[in-house]
Amino acid sequence: MVHFVGAGPGAPDLITLRGAELLRQADVVIYAGSLVNPALLELCGADCAIYNSAQMTLEQILEAMQTGENIVRLHTGDPCLYGAIREQMDALDKLGIPYDVTPGVSSFCGAAAALGAEYTLPGVSQSVILTRMAGRTAVPEGESVAALATHGASMVIFLSAGMLEELQAELLQGAYTPDTPAALVYRATWPEERAVRCTVGTLARTGRDHQISKTALVLVGDFLGRDYRRSKLYDPSFTTGFREGQP
């Protein structure tokens, strides 16, 4: 059995209870060493075989998945985001090896927590775009940052901190302006976490000034500003299925 487990954004105590228990029971763990906090491996038993997938190919990962009875494939954040799990699951299907998925806290949630931010503010934004810049891995036509920026929604850009000049230029081709609030969050929830607020127009300079060029998320949108409308959910005059609104 292979268990795909979301390790969470970095802090060891932000893995789920289920994920932690699966690590304790595993006889083989294959972890994404480039991003997963190695402190999580302290949950593993003394006899557990541990592999760092940052040094492995897909074929080598699949080979390791056939060396135990209870295998954990430990991905950073939540496996469904930039985890390359589909190709692993399809290969396991062909091999007849069962698997399941344990979700985790994504780094985009950790980044919002670091900033004390809410992505979905009434009157500001009710949509969140999670995306990345095109690099050595292309993005589908129509999903460039410039195209998505036309919506002006709350945006979180993964895997792009090393391309801040290009990212800034693409963001400014959409609905964002040089004064639109932005932020860089380096290693959200790790002990060395840093959260730096800026604007779209100063994004690249801020990255240089603070020496942030990898392992960081870029957050963009007016949700980082001060203006928003009060939620109707807790408005005294708003009737819900649980209470009657008062005039």
Side-chain angles (χ1 to χ4, degrees):
M1 183 72 176
V2 175
H3 305 283
F4 291 92
V5 174
D13 57 350
L14 285 179
I15 192 170
T16 64
L17 293 172
R18 183 187 298 178
E21 185 59 29
L22 287 170
L23 281 176
R24 293 187 187 98
Q25 296 174 0
D27 53 10
V28 174
V29 170
I30 308 161
Y31 77 106
S34 59
L35 292 170
V36 168
N37 191 334
L40 285 166
L41 301 178
E42 295 174 10
L43 294 169
C44 301
D47 296 330
C48 180
I50 297 175
Y51 299 86
N52 182 354
S53 65
Q55 303 163 346
M56 303 167 74
T57 64
L58 173 61
E59 288 72 20
Q60 290 170 326
I61 291 169
L62 291 169
E63 185 176 343
M65 285 177 172
Q66 299 174 71
T67 60
E69 295 296 323
N70 203 7
I71 300 98
V72 168
R73 177 67 170 109
L74 191 62
H75 281 272
T76 184
D78 186 285
C80 74
L81 289 173
Y82 305 109
I85 63 169
R86 174 66 183 272
E87 60 192 29
Q88 297 173 70
M89 293 189 291
D90 285 348
L92 291 174
D93 284 337
K94 291 179 181 178
L95 292 167
I97 298 174
Y99 57 83
D100 59 21
V101 180
T102 296
V105 179
S106 173
S107 59
F108 85 92
C109 301
L115 291 162
E118 180 182 350
Y119 290 116
T120 51
L121 288 175
V124 176
S125 174
Q126 293 294 292
S127 302
V128 185
I129 296 173
L130 308 179
T131 190
R132 56 178 286 276
M133 284 280 286
R136 287 188 296 175
T137 301
V139 300
E141 186 177 350
E143 290 190 22
S144 68
V145 169
L148 296 175
T150 60
H151 298 286
S154 301
M155 185 180 287
V156 183
I157 303 104
F158 288 71
L159 305 169
S160 304
M163 299 179 281
L164 292 180
E165 292 280 359
E166 298 91 337
L167 175 59
Q168 179 176 317
E170 288 210 29
L171 289 168
L172 289 172
Q173 293 179 46
Y176 307 117
T177 72
D179 294 326
T180 299
L184 286 164
V185 181
Y186 172 79
R187 286 189 176 268
T189 80
W190 291 63
E192 58 268 41
E193 171 189 280
R194 280 187 289 155
V196 183
R197 290 178 179 264
C198 58
T199 64
V200 172
T202 61
L203 186 59
R205 187 179 73 217
T206 300
R208 290 193 301 270
D209 290 348
H210 291 269
Q211 298 182 319
I212 297 174
S213 60
K214 61 180 180 179
T215 326
L217 292 181
V218 181
L219 282 63
V220 177
D222 288 327
F223 73 94
L224 292 168
R226 292 184 175 276
D227 296 330
Y228 63 95
R229 297 175 187 167
R230 177 172 170 167
S231 167
K232 288 189 179 296
L233 181 60
Y234 301 111
D235 188 318
S237 65
F238 192 67
T239 296
T240 73
F242 299 92
R243 63 177 172 82
E244 188 73 25
Q246 301 300 314

